[in-house]
């Protein structure tokens, strides 16, 4: 048995889409399930017109942020390089195998233009027939081909497919798939600019890099029979296929950057943690054997089983990701958490307040880092608010009750000399008992008075501690004036 070798082969055409990142993750997990498995990064830049400057760095940065360390690749080297397709093209690899297929009668030189193909398609559609391209150039003699090439006519190299019979292959997710050869169009292998197509380069590179397991999206299911015909023509072993269902925006639309859906970079910029994103997307289309949802990358390597990948698309639920991100923040090492949230607190709070104490009250309540500024905006400035905020059925309060509670709280606060959590807690609890009310009847109005908000990252005691005696009393006076 060969050691498992998987590859992630993105095109440097922009940000890292969530579907692409999930493919990288699954390829990594398949490789690392085998203790000697290798995960390879290959940059597929054959579509020169779509390349975006800096996109390759985005690929490197994303894999690094997610701790998906590749064993071979353009930046780390390896025995099967180069790992960038345009560099491999300079070695003549793709031309060599394309011409070998031509000599074997498994491919041919084609002079047809896009206009020629369009005309054929229009004729087929006018007859109500499905369009499968069959190239008339296959009828040209070698002398005619040589003459046209000599005259400088642009050409492509196109695959030959016998329309008779069927082609079958096994997929780990979708099982046995069989297609009629008559439904397969003859795909271009080498373009007129000399670059291989994505489809052809994949086959050549996967073989030469000894890739054992190909992990990719199920949109490639329809192309796989054509790939296999090339493998068979060249006498090469076919890899194990693992086609993954799409990540969906809703029941009808795939998640797509073109539709304005978030990329990995967008999510990180909004304050989602890479490890939380990775954990969440692992569960989009794959179900673990255990009934649990939180997995470290190491735990995913142990738990992952391709047989538990679903065949139907999974809907990307941002609320579920938000919840999971909150779990990661709450479970985070405290020093790491402080380092992470401190820049957000500094941007949101300019007043002389204890940032450590603020970080502490945030930890149990924040779900994404970008929420922090809005959660803390009341520290520097108490905004105007409506007294309807004091009405809370659960806490059994209303403006009239709040006025009474705040009057009593003010008297208590004025007497407290040691302004700390324990003293404030004891004082407010004892006061509620003396008044014969539940703690919430007293503490909820205090919290609203201090923040001007119905929801805050801390309760009345925590906010009082951070704001200090003078500011807390000032805000209670403002509240009492509102409630007159």
């Amino acid at each position: 048995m060969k050691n498992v070798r998987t590859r992630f082969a993105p095109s440097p055409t922009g940000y890292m889409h969530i579907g692409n990142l999930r493919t990288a993750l699954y390829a990594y997990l398949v490789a690392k399930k085998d203790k000697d498995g290798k995960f390879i990064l290959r940059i597929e830049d054959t579509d020169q017109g779509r390349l975006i400057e800096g996109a390759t760095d985005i690929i490197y940065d994303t894999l690094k942020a997610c701790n998906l360390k590749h064993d071979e690749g353009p930046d780390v080297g390896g025995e099967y390089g180069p790992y960038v397709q345009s560099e491999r093209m300079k070695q003549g690899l793709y031309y060599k195998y394309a011409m070998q297929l031509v000599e074997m009668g498994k491919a041919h030189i084609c002079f047809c233009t896009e206009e020629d193909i369009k005309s054929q398609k229009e004729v087929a559609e006018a007859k109500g027939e499905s369009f499968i391209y069959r190239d008339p150039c296959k009828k040209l003699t070698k002398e005619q081909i040589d003459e046209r090439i000599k005259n400088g006519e642009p050409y492509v190299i196109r695959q030959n497919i016998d329309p008779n019979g069927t082609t079958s292959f096994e997929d780990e997710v979708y099982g046995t798939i069989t297609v009629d050869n008559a439904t397969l169009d003859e795909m271009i292998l080498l373009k007129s600019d000399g670059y291989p197509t994505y489809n052809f380069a994949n086959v050549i590179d996967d073989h030469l890099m000894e890739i054992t397991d190909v992990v990719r999206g199920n949109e490639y299911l329809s192309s796989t029979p054509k790939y296999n015909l090339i493998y068979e023509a060249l006498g090469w072993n076919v890899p194990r296929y693992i086609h993954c269902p799409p990540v969906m925006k809703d029941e009808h639309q795939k998640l797509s950057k073109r539709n304005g859906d978030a990329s990995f970079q967008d999510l990180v910029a909004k304050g989602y943690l890479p490890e939380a994103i990775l954990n969440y997307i692992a569960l989009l289309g794959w179900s673990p054997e255990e009934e649990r949802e939180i997995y470290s990358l190491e735990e995913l390597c142990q738990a992952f089983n391709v047989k538990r990948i679903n065949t139907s698309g999974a809907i990307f639920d941002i609320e579920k990701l938000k919840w999971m991100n909150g779990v990661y923040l709450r479970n985070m090492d405290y020093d790491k958490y402080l380092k992470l949230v401190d820049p957000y607190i500094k941007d949101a709070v300019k007043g002389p307040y204890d940032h450590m104490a603020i970080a502490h009250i945030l930890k149990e309540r924040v779900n994404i880092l970008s929420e922090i500024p809005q959660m803390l905006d009341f520290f520097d400035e108490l905004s105007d608010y409506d007294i309807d905020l004091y009405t809370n059925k659960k806490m059994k309060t209303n403006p009239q009750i709040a006025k009474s509670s705040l009057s009593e709280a003010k008297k208590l606060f004025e007497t407290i000399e040691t302004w700390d959590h324990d003293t404030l807690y004891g004082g407010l609890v004892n006061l509620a008992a003396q008044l014969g009310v539940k703690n919430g009847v007293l503490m909820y109005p205090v919290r609203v008075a201090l923040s001007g908000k119905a929801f805050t990252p801390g309760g009345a005691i925590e906010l009082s501690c951070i704001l200090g005696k003078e500011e807390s009393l000032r805000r209670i006076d403002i509240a009492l004036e509102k409630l007159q």
Side-chain angles (χ1 to χ4, degrees):
M1 292 289 290
K2 280 187 175 183
N3 291 334
V4 172
R5 287 175 61 82
T6 66
R7 48 75 168 170
F8 176 49
S11 299
T13 56
Y15 291 108
M16 181 71 73
H17 300 181
I18 290 301
N20 285 355
L21 181 57
R22 190 193 61 174
T23 299
L25 172 61
Y26 284 4
Y28 177 89
L29 296 177
V30 169
K32 298 309 171 181
K33 186 84 173 179
D34 175 358
K35 66 183 180 68
D36 295 316
K38 301 293 183 185
F39 173 59
I40 293 98
L41 172 65
R42 187 173 73 222
I43 302 298
E44 305 209 334
D45 60 347
T46 57
D47 192 346
Q48 295 283 295
R50 294 181 61 230
L51 303 186
I52 293 178
E53 187 176 351
T56 300
D57 290 332
I58 289 174
I59 294 168
Y60 294 145
D61 292 345
T62 301
L63 294 181
K64 183 177 180 181
C66 294
N67 207 25
L68 299 179
K69 297 177 182 176
H70 46 285
D71 301 289
E72 301 170 25
D75 54 336
V76 297
E79 298 177 15
Y80 298 85
Y83 293 89
V84 178
Q85 283 185 337
S86 58
E87 294 176 18
R88 296 173 70 79
M89 194 194 82
K90 293 172 186 175
Q91 298 179 341
L93 290 175
Y94 308 116
Y95 180 79
K96 168 189 168 184
Y97 288 108
M99 292 310 298
Q100 186 175 330
L101 288 168
V102 170
E103 291 164 9
M104 295 169 65
K106 300 297 182 179
H108 65 277
I109 291 173
C110 168
F111 297 94
C112 290
T113 66
E114 288 297 322
E115 286 300 316
D116 296 328
I117 297 170
K118 184 180 177 183
S119 296
Q120 285 192 36
K121 184 177 181 181
E122 288 173 352
V123 170
E125 288 175 348
K127 294 178 180 179
E129 300 172 353
S130 59
F131 176 69
I132 302 296
Y133 180 67
R134 296 295 177 224
D135 190 357
C137 291
K138 285 191 287 187
K139 298 176 182 177
L140 296 175
T141 64
K142 184 178 185 305
E143 290 74 20
Q144 289 173 317
I145 290 170
D146 290 342
E147 181 66 24
R148 294 178 75 165
I149 292 174
K150 183 180 177 181
N151 291 336
E153 290 190 41
Y155 67 90
V156 300
I157 296 180
R158 194 182 285 276
Q159 183 180 21
N160 283 350
I161 294 179
D162 183 346
N164 300 306
T166 61
T167 298
S168 299
F169 68 96
E170 291 294 322
D171 182 76
E172 294 297 313
V173 178
Y174 292 88
T176 303
I177 294 179
T178 301
V179 299
D180 291 325
N181 289 353
T183 65
L184 301 176
D185 61 341
E186 298 176 322
M187 66 179 181
I188 294 174
L189 308 181
L190 217 63
K191 295 179 285 187
S192 57
D193 60 5
Y195 277 86
T197 58
Y198 175 89
N199 296 316
F200 183 55
N202 259 281
V203 173
I204 304 303
D205 290 339
D206 284 346
H207 170 73
L208 295 179
M209 292 182 179
E210 298 187 10
I211 301 302
T212 61
D213 296 65
V214 171
V215 183
R216 61 187 174 213
N218 70 353
E219 65 268 26
Y220 292 102
L221 278 170
S222 60
S223 301
T224 300
K226 293 182 280 189
Y227 301 161
N228 284 4
L229 290 172
I230 295 173
Y231 279 111
E232 291 166 10
L234 295 170
W236 295 344
N237 291 329
V238 173
R240 185 171 76 134
Y241 291 118
I242 302 161
H243 286 91
C244 307
V247 179
M248 305 295 289
K249 179 175 184 173
D250 52 41
E251 291 183 1
H252 306 289
Q253 288 182 298
K254 287 173 63 174
L255 205 68
S256 168
K257 186 69 176 174
R258 292 175 186 173
N259 295 334
D261 299 317
S263 67
F264 172 78
Q265 284 70 29
D266 293 329
L267 292 172
V268 171
K270 290 176 182 177
Y272 291 91
L273 306 175
E275 53 268 42
I277 299 170
L278 209 66
N279 187 160
Y280 177 65
I281 65 173
L283 302 174
L284 286 176
W286 171 75
S287 55
E289 293 180 22
E290 297 180 81
E291 288 190 8
R292 57 183 285 202
E293 295 182 294
I294 305 302
Y295 286 87
S296 67
L297 183 57
E298 293 73 22
E299 290 169 334
L300 283 172
C301 288
Q302 297 302 315
F304 194 71
N305 180 346
V306 297
K307 294 298 185 184
R308 296 187 67 86
I309 295 176
N310 303 322
T311 56
S312 56
I315 295 176
F316 185 89
D317 183 351
I318 194 69
E319 291 302 318
K320 184 66 176 287
L321 174 58
K322 184 186 289 189
W323 166 81
M324 187 171 284
N325 201 68
V327 172
Y328 269 81
L329 284 170
R330 284 182 274 288
N331 292 341
M332 188 178 286
D333 170 79
Y334 203 75
D335 288 339
K336 182 180 177 182
Y337 163 77
L338 285 176
K339 187 176 180 182
L340 193 65
V341 301
D342 189 53
Y344 291 87
I345 297 173
K346 283 180 177 174
D347 283 345
V349 181
K350 306 298 183 183
Y353 302 119
D354 185 342
H355 286 192
M356 287 272 287
I358 293 173
H360 180 76
I361 64 172
L362 278 172
K363 197 169 196 290
E364 293 304 312
R365 296 166 177 87
V366 68
N367 284 318
I368 52 176
L369 299 173
S370 59
E371 293 175 334
I372 291 176
Q374 188 175 2
M375 294 174 77
L376 304 180
D377 60 4
F378 65 89
F379 276 104
D380 284 346
E381 183 178 356
L382 179 67
S383 298
D384 191 23
Y385 61 91
D386 196 297
I387 62 170
D388 286 345
L389 273 182
Y390 289 104
T391 299
N392 187 301
K393 289 183 180 180
K394 184 180 178 182
M395 295 298 176
K396 295 183 171 56
T397 65
N398 58 38
Q400 186 178 355
I401 293 170
K403 179 182 176 183
S404 174
S405 294
L406 288 172
S407 296
E408 295 299 327
K410 178 184 177 182
K411 293 174 189 176
L412 171 68
F413 280 12
E414 287 173 337
T415 65
I416 293 176
E417 295 183 3
T418 304
W419 196 263
D420 60 26
H421 183 278
D422 290 346
T423 305
L424 285 164
Y425 177 79
L428 286 169
V429 169
N430 289 336
L431 178 58
Q434 291 170 20
L435 295 173
V437 299
K438 291 187 176 181
N439 291 344
V441 174
L442 184 62
M443 293 193 188
Y444 178 78
V446 171
R447 181 163 66 83
V448 172
L450 297 179
S451 65
K453 289 176 176 282
F455 302 100
T456 56
I461 295 160
E462 292 96 340
L463 298 188
S464 299
C465 280
I466 296 169
L467 288 168
K469 182 175 180 177
E470 182 180 342
E471 181 63 15
S472 295
L473 284 168
R474 187 183 77 84
R475 295 189 180 196
I476 289 175
D477 281 340
I478 292 171
L480 288 170
E481 188 174 338
K482 277 180 170 289
L483 291 165
Q484 290 299 333

